[in-house]
Coordinates of all heavy atoms in Angstrom, one line a residue:
L507 N -197.5 -171.6 222.0 CA -198.6 -170.9 222.8 C -199.7 -171.9 223.1 O -200.2 -172.0 224.3 CB -199.2 -169.7 222.0 CG -198.3 -168.5 221.9 CD1 -198.9 -167.5 220.9 CD2 -198.0 -167.9 223.3
S516 N -208.2 -174.5 218.6 CA -209.3 -173.6 218.9 C -209.2 -172.2 218.3 O -208.1 -171.7 218.4 CB -209.5 -173.5 220.5 OG -210.5 -172.6 220.8
T550 N -177.3 -169.5 180.5 CA -177.0 -169.9 179.1 C -175.9 -169.0 178.5 O -174.9 -169.5 177.9 CB -178.3 -169.8 178.2 OG1 -179.3 -170.6 178.7 CG2 -178.0 -170.2 176.8
L551 N -175.9 -167.8 178.8 CA -174.9 -166.8 178.3 C -173.5 -167.2 178.9 O -172.5 -167.1 178.2 CB -175.3 -165.4 178.6 CG -174.4 -164.3 178.1 CD1 -174.4 -164.3 176.6 CD2 -174.8 -163.0 178.7
G566 N -159.3 -181.7 170.2 CA -158.7 -180.5 169.8 C -159.6 -179.3 170.0 O -160.8 -179.4 170.3
V583 N -183.1 -174.8 170.4 CA -184.3 -175.6 170.1 C -185.2 -175.8 171.3 O -186.4 -175.7 171.2 CB -183.9 -177.0 169.5 CG1 -185.1 -177.9 169.3 CG2 -183.2 -176.9 168.1
M608 N -205.8 -167.7 169.4 CA -205.2 -166.9 168.3 C -206.4 -166.5 167.4 O -206.3 -165.4 166.8 CB -204.1 -167.7 167.6 CG -202.9 -167.8 168.4 SD -202.2 -166.3 169.0 CE -201.9 -165.5 167.5

Side-chain angles (χ1 to χ4, degrees):
L507 289 171
S516 174
T550 302
L551 184 64
V583 172
M608 292 305 299

